[in-house]
Amino acid sequence: MAEQPSTSTVSTAFRSALDVIREVEPRVADAIAAEVADQREMLKLIASENYASPATLLAMGNWLSDKYAEGTVGRRFYAGCRNVDTVESLAAEHARSVFGAAHAYVQPHSGIDANLVAFWAVLSQRVESPALEKAGVRQVNELSEQDWAQLRADFGNQRMLGMSLDAGGHLTHGFRPNISGKMFDQRSYGTDPVTGLLDYDAVRAAAREFRPLIIVAGYSAYPRLVNFRLMREIADEVGATLMVDMAHFAGLVAGKVLTGDFDPVPHAQIVTTTTHKSLRGPRGGMVLCDDSLAEHVDRGCPMVLGGPLPHVMAAKAVALAEAARPEFGTYAQAVVDNAKALAEGLLTRGAKLVTGGTDNHLVLIDVSSYGLTGRQAEAALLDAGIVTNRNAVPQDPNGAWYTTGIRIGTPALTTRGLGPAEMDEIAGLIDTVLDGTSPAAAAKGGTSKANYVLDASIADQVSRRAADLLAGFPLYPTLDLQ
Ligand SMILES: *Cc1c(COP(=O)(O)O)cnc(C)c1O
């Protein structure tokens, strides 16, 4: 990693922290140390993971955690929030500057929470505010029983249009298992069955027909760019609010790899994100919005969020300060270059990729050409020291549990400094494992979508090669916990 403080400072800080923990519950100290060891040894290709910097990690473990700070900067429901105000202001200031946003709300505890804050901000602006105005009152407590009942019914009667799950959308974009699907009447748009690409004409047609209150763009498993200028045009045409969930690609936006039509911030009224994926910050969420939504977004806590996590907001401020540096732009470009090299390496070896390649940080392999389900491929790769996750492909014949895809991404390995040559070699390792894996029968006979056989010598040979490869790119090269 480029942004390393001196050797002894980092090692001393983490070693002392572990010593203090070990005195109380040694098993927790051991688990933390074991986690560092695992993360150092495994080839981490999970597209939603990364490695936060030592400064970001250390900003989380301290006394800021002990404060209650409901409310917003300067308007708290608790006394003594001066230092929390400082870190929350810093995080928001860095977020506004890195993303060029009018307003930033840095309290959400996760991406799901950020989306919930955003949905309720839009409902507050577009459903609640007009109802209050119509009744001639300032807040909900002043509504009559009848008006309140009507407003509650109206909240439950709104429509949302989002990307379908098997095209790469996220469960929080209006799907029934998530609260968003219980709140909204949802319809989804998919991708073109032939090219696998987002079809804007189809999105426009669906929007005209369905007339949603909110159009959600953004994804977890779509390997191409989204034209947010076009999405906003569509939203404007039907009077919808455009919300973009950039949880996966926020780092590419911060690093100015996604610009113009592909940068969601100037186009969407509201943008949500996680802070721990390509953005490389602490585990958390964030909402950016225009001025018209700011007051609604700021009601996130206590409306849908528990008390803010001041220690995590401190770490967000640190990580966003890192994202503001020129090196982060270099990193973000390398993430995309690496994903392209990985895709190229797989295609050369005959693998089938959804959309035939990638323009961002992730690649979706259709493993049906290896005769495997996603579940079998994921387990076989793990046996060989390669950590990935299975993922549905469009119109997936194996459903959302077994799936037909393997999603891989480059944010984590790029943080460690691996480059295109290593990506090509990793593509070879993946191909070797998948080629050497065959489906196995279920215990009671018949086919199984989970069982598989992978020759132990292949698993061994690949995991040894993966470990050698990683040894050249140590995670936290200056960290020594012994
Ligand atoms: C990861 C992700 C989320 C959820 O983030 P959590 O921090 O796990 O709650 C939401 N939306 C998208 C598009 C994601 O990829």
Side-chain angles (χ1 to χ4, degrees):
M1 304 213 343
E3 300 139 3
Q4 288 282 323
S6 76
T7 311
S8 53
T9 316
V10 174
S11 295
T12 310
F14 282 103
R15 239 187 279 151
S16 312
L18 286 184
D19 287 346
V20 173
I21 296 167
R22 191 166 283 115
E23 277 179 29
V24 181
E25 175 48 289
R27 289 170 296 184
V28 168
D30 291 345
I32 295 170
E35 184 58 29
V36 179
D38 282 359
Q39 294 209 20
R40 280 178 147 167
E41 282 157 25
M42 298 222 188
L43 208 52
K44 178 146 103 168
L45 283 167
I46 294 184
S48 51
E49 293 188 3
N50 211 328
Y51 302 104
S53 71
T56 298
L57 294 176
L58 287 168
M60 276 185 279
N62 55 63
W63 304 272
L64 288 168
S65 168
D66 295 335
K67 270 307 293 173
Y68 244 115
E70 271 178 46
T72 49
V73 174
R75 286 190 77 247
R76 305 287 185 186
F77 292 88
Y78 291 80
C81 290
R82 159 161 89 111
N83 303 307
V84 178
D85 281 359
T86 301
V87 298
E88 181 168 354
S89 304
L90 282 170
E93 194 180 302
H94 283 309
R96 288 194 306 268
S97 137
V98 164
F99 293 105
H103 183 71
Y105 182 64
V106 297
Q107 293 186 10
H109 308 160
S110 71
I112 288 191
D113 289 8
N115 285 349
L116 203 50
V117 169
F119 295 145
W120 278 102
V122 177
L123 289 170
S124 166
Q125 181 193 43
R126 298 197 50 196
V127 179
E128 184 173 302
S129 289
L132 296 181
E133 203 168 313
K134 184 162 161 241
V137 300
R138 284 167 45 98
Q139 52 133 319
V140 283
N141 288 334
E142 297 163 17
L143 287 174
S144 69
E145 286 299 320
Q146 197 187 357
D147 287 346
W148 176 234
Q150 183 58 50
L151 177 55
R152 289 179 58 240
D154 290 343
F155 282 143
N157 228 347
Q158 303 300 321
R159 292 190 286 268
M160 170 198 293
L161 183 67
M163 193 174 199
S164 72
L165 273 184
D166 69 352
H170 194 263
L171 208 62
T172 56
H173 300 176
F175 295 92
R176 291 180 189 181
N178 179 257
I179 190 164
S180 57
K182 301 175 208 291
M183 281 162 48
F184 290 98
D185 178 10
Q186 193 260 24
R187 194 93 44 98
S188 49
Y189 54 87
T191 44
D192 183 277
V194 179
T195 61
L197 299 176
L198 197 53
D199 176 353
Y200 298 94
D201 291 335
V203 177
R204 190 184 303 270
R208 280 183 182 159
E209 212 246 328
F210 190 51
R211 306 206 73 86
L213 179 80
I214 303 178
I215 295 181
V216 182
Y219 54 79
S220 303
Y222 181 65
R224 298 293 179 175
L225 307 185
V226 176
N227 186 321
F228 298 112
R229 183 184 51 77
L230 277 180
M231 293 300 287
R232 175 63 185 263
E233 252 176 50
I234 295 169
D236 282 350
E237 190 189 320
V238 300
T241 298
L242 178 63
M243 165 174 158
V244 175
D245 179 351
M246 63 170 182
H248 255 261
F249 53 90
L252 307 186
V253 178
K256 310 280 183 278
V257 174
L258 299 184
T259 55
D261 293 354
F262 307 110
D263 174 356
V265 181
H267 301 292
Q269 285 98 335
I270 190 160
V271 176
T272 59
T273 186
T274 59
T275 46
H276 50 274
K277 298 182 182 176
S278 57
L279 193 55
R280 208 163 70 182
R283 190 158 290 283
M286 194 162 72
V287 182
L288 308 172
C289 64
D290 63 17
D291 287 324
S292 78
L293 274 158
E295 61 170 302
H296 304 279
V297 164
D298 282 351
R299 290 189 200 129
C301 168
M303 183 162 74
V304 296
L305 297 176
L309 310 174
H311 53 307
V312 180
M313 294 196 289
K316 286 171 183 169
V318 171
L320 286 162
E322 291 171 348
R325 295 179 180 171
E327 301 94 282
F328 195 84
T330 311
Y331 163 72
Q333 186 57 53
V335 166
V336 176
D337 293 345
N338 277 343
K340 285 183 189 288
L342 193 54
E344 202 49 49
L346 286 161
L347 289 170
T348 310
R349 292 167 177 88
K352 194 171 143 196
L353 306 182
V354 173
T355 77
T358 181
D359 291 322
N360 56 22
H361 63 295
L362 70 88
V363 175
L364 192 55
I365 312 173
D366 179 339
V367 294
S368 61
S369 62
Y370 294 98
L372 301 171
T373 64
R375 166 99 188 240
Q376 291 160 334
E378 175 194 271
L381 287 167
L382 187 63
D383 291 346
I386 302 177
V387 192
T388 65
N389 65 278
R390 64 184 188 279
N391 206 103
V393 301
Q395 290 98 42
D396 200 306
N398 292 319
W401 178 250
Y402 292 109
T403 81
T404 306
I406 285 290
R407 186 186 69 169
I408 52 182
T410 52
L413 291 184
T414 305
T415 294
R416 288 183 72 157
L418 281 76
E422 288 76 39
M423 293 302 136
D424 183 62
E425 180 163 4
I426 291 168
L429 297 179
I430 292 172
D431 179 64
T432 302
V433 173
L434 298 182
D435 239 356
T437 305
S438 8
K444 293 176 185 154
T447 56
S448 161
K449 288 182 176 183
N451 298 350
Y452 64 97
V453 208
L454 166 64
D455 195 60
S457 68
I458 296 180
D460 213 50
Q461 174 213 324
V462 170
S463 49
R464 245 177 304 132
R465 184 54 210 143
D468 281 351
L469 195 63
L470 287 176
F473 300 91
L475 172 63
Y476 312 129
T478 59
L479 177 63
D480 174 12
L481 290 180
Q482 298 308 309

